[in-house]
Amino acid sequence: MVCYQGEYRLKTQLRILHLTSYVGKRSFGIGSAVLNLARGQQVLGHRVEIWSCDVKEEARYLEQENNLLPNTIRTFPIFGPSRLAYSPKLERAIAQQADEYDLIHQHGIWTAISRSTNYWRVKTGKPTVIAPHGSLDSWTLRRSMWKKRFAMLCYERENLHKASCLHALSSCEADGFRAFGLKNPIAILPNGISEEWLRQRGDARAFRERFRLSDETRLMFFLGRITPKKGLPLLLRAMSALRYDLKNWKLIIAGVNEFGHQNELESIAFKLSLESHVQFIGPLYGQSKRDAFAAVDLFVLPSYSEGAPVAILEALGAGVPILATCATPWREIVTNGCGWLTDISVAAIRQALHEAIHTPRDVLRDMGRRGKALIAKKYKINSIAEQLILIYSWLLGRKEKPSCVFN
């Protein structure tokens, strides 16, 4: 049960530390979620900091871009592989400043950041909240299994099992926590989107001119990590079966190439004779990302597994209808008439895609408007931030347990 209550402000300012490996370009969707949440909690009057392993210059840019207070993001250098996010300086800072915070909210797991959360919990006896952000679903657990087993042995088992509360983004993710053997209280609360994103307007023409896309070309858009988890080969094979229906359509793929997966996708597109229907444009940030959403007709996410992707919120918040697999936890996409959810198969995606590309533009725009209204009603970050403050306050013994928390 997700809790949505009226506006609430604590009389006592909380000192909240959000701990995550990265919030910048290396973070993908988690970074946007953390930045939005920190801003929402600062608006409520709380002292909020983010500690991460980003570079300092990027942190200052992110503070300005997301309307955060100066020096909200504190950065620490890493030692060793960037994926491990091991920072001796961060661990020393946690030890030296342990008493300055009421609570740690950790975002993402499997990195050395969990060592710091563990240490802080043992030293202070104060609450920790862990948000895996999709990292405990069965598909993800099967990837890099030996690395995850090593992390569990060294620090992650204790970090997870002794957390005061787990933060699930959906009921499906909460079920995954229980399947993993975790008995902690679970708060089910989704990611949110900022008021600024809902108000912003993108420049569709600027996007088309930048990437040499004609006004006549209809655009479907993928934004995220270019990685096997996202299921893009399924989408390409579905497109191949509809090649003649797609003569005016192009798939725009924006994101960072992980594990060399873009090379694999380019090879698949070539073999399926889809080269003219697929364009890779690299990662998009800031206004460039908003311009893309203004230009496209349809957002696609054919994933094998998802937590609660911020990209879906951003697309709906920009008024773009969705075509996604049922790995995306929001059945509201269908019940509110703002897109399509399919089974995870080429045949199911092909069927939904056939319907979507033959839907008139004005009908797609109506679907997009319904999606934006849904986000404005239920997924604004200020409301999500309020609910998390209630959860923190309960963990600190100051309030009753909120309805979105179950044991």
Side-chain angles (χ1 to χ4, degrees):
M1 180 180 185
V2 177
C3 56
Y4 295 98
Q5 302 177 22
E7 183 172 341
Y8 178 80
R9 293 172 186 260
L10 285 176
K11 294 180 180 178
T12 304
Q13 183 190 61
L14 296 184
R15 302 171 300 170
I16 304 160
L17 177 57
H18 291 285
L19 198 58
T20 187
S21 300
Y22 302 100
V23 289
K25 294 179 180 179
R26 292 180 179 177
S27 71
F28 310 109
I30 290 180
S32 296
V34 176
L35 293 166
N36 285 337
L37 180 56
R39 171 59 179 162
Q41 292 174 341
Q42 284 184 343
V43 168
L44 293 172
H46 299 283
R47 176 188 154 192
V48 183
E49 293 182 25
I50 301 168
W51 286 15
S52 74
C53 298
D54 298 278
V55 298
K56 186 176 295 186
E57 293 76 16
E58 186 174 18
R60 300 292 81 81
Y61 166 78
L62 290 169
E63 287 169 352
Q64 295 178 8
E65 183 75 9
N66 292 276
N67 296 314
L68 293 167
L69 296 176
N71 300 312
T72 293
I73 304 171
R74 184 173 175 184
T75 62
F76 298 87
I78 58 172
F79 178 82
S82 61
R83 282 185 171 275
L84 183 57
Y86 172 53
S87 175
K89 286 192 175 181
L90 188 151
E91 293 189 354
R92 286 197 294 272
I94 281 283
Q96 294 165 0
Q97 299 175 241
D99 294 330
E100 295 185 16
Y101 304 95
D102 296 313
L103 175 142
I104 282 181
H105 193 155
Q106 179 183 330
H107 301 268
I109 57 174
W110 305 126
T111 73
I113 291 293
S114 297
R115 286 166 43 100
S116 296
T117 303
N118 252 338
Y119 176 87
W120 185 87
R121 175 183 47 76
V122 172
K123 181 176 175 64
T124 66
K126 294 179 181 178
T128 60
V129 177
I130 310 294
H133 288 271
S135 294
L136 287 176
D137 67 73
S138 58
W139 196 95
T140 302
L141 288 172
R142 290 194 294 269
R143 307 287 298 184
S144 303
M145 288 181 63
W146 70 268
K147 294 180 182 177
K148 292 180 172 68
R149 287 172 180 167
F150 179 78
M152 285 293 287
L153 179 66
C154 293
Y155 51 80
E156 204 64 80
R157 177 176 283 107
E158 182 181 1
N159 188 45
L160 288 169
H161 282 274
K162 294 190 177 181
S164 308
C165 186
L166 301 173
H167 177 189
L169 301 174
S170 67
S171 297
C172 291
E173 187 175 24
D175 291 341
F177 295 172
R178 294 295 185 239
F180 193 72
L182 299 173
K183 308 296 185 184
N184 322 50
I186 300 176
I188 302 178
L189 205 60
N191 288 322
I193 210 74
S194 69
E195 291 274 7
E196 289 82 2
W197 182 265
L198 289 169
R199 288 197 302 265
Q200 273 182 328
R201 293 184 179 275
D203 188 336
R205 180 164 296 280
F207 178 79
R208 287 182 177 271
E209 288 178 353
R210 177 181 175 185
F211 295 105
R212 300 181 180 178
L213 299 163
S214 70
D215 291 340
E216 294 75 29
T217 303
R218 306 287 300 279
L219 302 177
M220 64 182 88
F221 182 45
F222 168 87
L223 175 70
R225 292 180 295 156
I226 302 175
T227 189
K229 177 179 177 178
K230 299 299 182 178
L232 287 166
L234 298 176
L235 178 60
L236 293 179
R237 294 187 174 97
M239 290 174 62
S240 177
L242 299 170
R243 189 181 299 109
Y244 298 107
D245 298 87
L246 289 167
K247 58 183 179 181
N248 294 324
W249 283 82
K250 179 171 279 193
L251 169 63
I252 304 299
I253 298 177
V256 175
N257 181 15
E258 269 198 352
F259 313 115
H261 190 53
Q262 181 173 321
N263 300 332
E264 180 183 346
L265 295 174
E266 289 172 342
S267 178
I268 293 172
F270 177 77
K271 291 176 181 177
L272 297 175
S273 301
L274 290 173
E275 308 102 296
S276 63
H277 294 288
V278 181
Q279 184 171 339
F280 295 88
I281 63 172
L284 295 176
Y285 306 102
Q287 187 60 44
S288 295
K289 180 168 65 172
R290 200 63 179 81
D291 292 346
F293 280 116
V296 303
D297 299 277
L298 182 70
F299 183 79
V300 290
L301 190 63
S303 297
Y304 287 103
S305 171
E306 289 290 350
V310 172
I312 291 280
L313 290 173
E314 290 176 337
L316 291 173
V320 179
I322 306 295
L323 191 159
T325 61
C326 56
T328 297
W330 290 310
R331 300 296 174 265
E332 294 161 309
I333 289 172
V334 174
T335 57
N336 284 267
C338 45
W340 293 263
L341 286 183
T342 81
D343 290 336
I344 306 171
S345 71
V346 172
I349 294 170
R350 181 200 59 77
Q351 182 178 349
L353 184 59
H354 181 272
E355 183 177 338
I357 64 178
H358 289 286
T359 299
R361 266 182 165 155
D362 60 334
V363 177
L364 287 176
R365 283 193 288 268
D366 286 342
M367 296 173 75
R369 281 190 282 269
R370 288 194 290 272
K372 189 167 187 173
L374 170 65
I375 297 301
K377 180 180 180 181
K378 292 187 66 175
Y379 294 97
K380 288 193 291 190
I381 193 59
N382 288 353
S383 175
I384 307 299
E386 288 176 6
Q387 308 318 312
L388 274 165
I389 294 301
L390 288 172
I391 293 165
Y392 300 163
S393 189
W394 163 65
L395 291 172
L396 291 164
R398 302 175 186 176
K399 290 289 177 181
E400 296 297 318
K401 184 175 75 172
S403 61
C404 57
V405 177
F406 64 93
N407 294 323

